[in-house]
Amino acid sequence: MSTYETVKGTFDLLPPQAERIVAVREAMAAPLRRAGYGYVETPTFEATALFKRGVGESTDIVTKEMFSWTTQGGDEVTLRPEGTASTLRAVLQANMPRAGLPIKVYYSGSYYRYEKPQKGRYRHFSQVGGEAIGAEDPALDVELIVLADDAFKDLGLRNYRILLNSLGDKECRPVYRAKLQEFLRGLDLDEETRARIEINPLRVLDDKRDSVQKQLVDAPLMIDNLCDTCRAYHEEVRTLLTEAGVAFVDDPKLVRGLDYYTRTTFEFVHDGLGSQSAIGGGGRYDGLSEELGGPSLPSVGWALGVDRTALALEAEGVELSGVEPLSVFAVPLGDEARRRLFDLVTTLRRTNIAADFAYGNKGIKAAMKAADRSGARYALVLGERDIAENVIQIKELATGEQESVPLADILTIIQEKLK
Ligand code: AMP
């Protein structure tokens, strides 16, 4: 025990479970790489103004959930609560659009939100995200949805649904927004929700309370109020998704928490996670670049939740092959044996055989216990007498079978046994 523990809403990832997280991240990134997305890494903190502007002043993230502070030099900075604003900032800063559009990038890392901690909702969590920047093409929206679906399927996940909606564009959304506000103002709502009608009325549709949902049955929906271009775009997204064999559910009340979304919006929802059911989500954000002072760059992207996906896999009982199991555990008895076996372990590892060593000058009993605990297939035991006789003991740990083999041939013998 130490005097210190992780702060509220955060947790450590420890072996062997932590390997699952590595496997999840890797599985999420692999389909993106196959589709030409390049890895980007941005700093974990940015100017606070970037997120205020890029995520939206009316979102819960910006009003309540950011870890922000003033540096010693007087700069206002914030731990990144999401990945899109930073990624777009980086792309614009490096003038990447010069090299042609769309720019396809992906990221993987830690994100921070001051949320009320519960299972699946943390203050420090991990996401993998993909962004296709600078093209307005329904096929690009569908590409990303398919890639996320592939990632989840490759991981072995089954019990999830894809919710799909369109949020319109700068032509039809304001007209709809006004219509929705008029409808909402006539309802019986608490003060906080009434305030939300004026700032971010679409978010009211997302209210989870029954008392609110009951009143929203006849609310006007964006999907019925799309302009012709947005409608055609959305129909094309639906057609391409269907042709790709990806099942989805139309959810006209899906709005998502971030201000910058336009047109296509989607969420991956898992059925075994209780209230924190979203394992990923994203959509189109055609106006964000201009919002950040850049040129017009219609874009689409998603972020998948690594921690929640690990929980979803656990809920479905899917085992991930995480750590590479050890093949060999070496047990030296005496100084000369230690030098020789250490050299052998190094050589084994260099030939791609997972091997470990009884460090710390343990006696034979403790060392063999460590060998058993290590999960290795074979223990190699070398003592003074073995060296004198030019042999080494090889013991299959599962069966306890042991044989004495020529020391000079041990490398080939092990390679042969592991074939
Ligand atoms: P968002 O940008 O909020 O849609 O987040 C994308 C995904 O990240 C969500 O679908 C979740 O799987 C995950 N996520 C978001 N916030 C948290 C959190 N506080 N703790 C754990 N995972 C989260």
Side-chain angles (χ1 to χ4, degrees), residues 206-412:
D206 203 25
D207 201 307
K208 301 281 182 283
R209 291 170 296 182
D210 272 351
S211 57
V212 178
Q213 279 303 326
K214 253 192 269 170
Q215 301 186 64
L216 293 175
V217 179
D218 296 322
L221 298 170
M222 185 70 244
I223 203 81
D224 301 324
N225 288 273
L226 295 175
C227 58
D228 290 345
T229 357
C230 283
R231 179 175 308 285
Y233 193 97
H234 193 58
E235 275 316 309
E236 183 64 9
V237 167
R238 296 179 78 257
T239 305
L240 290 173
L241 266 180
T242 308
E243 277 170 11
V246 173
F248 59 89
V249 183
D250 291 306
D251 181 355
K253 287 207 175 117
L254 179 71
V255 294
R256 310 229 344 112
L258 289 69
D259 268 359
Y260 52 63
Y261 284 105
T262 49
R263 287 195 178 165
T264 313
T265 187
F266 51 87
E267 208 154 77
F268 288 75
V269 178
H270 192 270
D271 294 324
L273 291 180
S275 62
Q276 303 309 314
S277 60
I279 50 174
R284 196 152 256 292
Y285 50 94
D286 291 342
L288 183 59
S289 173
E290 286 147 301
E291 199 65 41
L292 299 184
S296 165
L297 287 173
S299 307
V300 56
W302 51 239
L304 310 184
V306 174
D307 314 275
R308 275 192 213 168
T309 301
L311 288 175
L313 288 165
E314 211 176 288
E316 287 195 29
V318 179
E319 276 302 321
L320 290 180
S321 47
V323 229
E324 187 183 348
L326 280 182
S327 296
V328 170
F329 193 91
V331 175
L333 304 169
D335 284 344
E336 177 60 17
R338 200 175 68 236
R339 270 176 231 121
R340 295 226 191 171
L341 271 189
F342 185 75
D343 189 47
L344 176 64
V345 162
T346 305
T347 309
L348 286 170
R349 289 171 179 165
R350 284 179 179 153
T351 55
N352 267 330
I353 292 174
D356 205 356
F357 188 80
Y359 291 103
N361 275 324
K362 289 187 177 70
I364 176 84
K365 229 172 125 187
M368 288 313 289
K369 215 171 176 177
D372 280 326
R373 253 202 319 258
S374 76
R377 271 179 72 185
Y378 298 103
L380 295 181
V381 185
L382 188 69
E384 305 291 330
R385 188 143 38 118
D386 297 317
I387 296 172
E389 292 172 11
N390 277 316
V391 295
I392 181 167
Q393 312 301 319
I394 178 162
K395 179 177 179 185
E396 185 165 10
L397 287 161
T399 60
E401 247 167 65
Q402 186 166 323
E403 56 181 320
S404 186
V405 300
L407 186 52
D409 302 336
I410 186 62
L411 190 58
T412 28

Side-chain angles (χ1 to χ4, degrees), residues 113 115 120-122 125 127 256 278-281 303 305 308:
R113 293 181 195 172
E115 303 211 61
R121 183 176 289 280
Y122 312 107
F125 57 97
Q127 288 184 340
R256 310 229 344 112
I279 50 174
R308 275 192 213 168

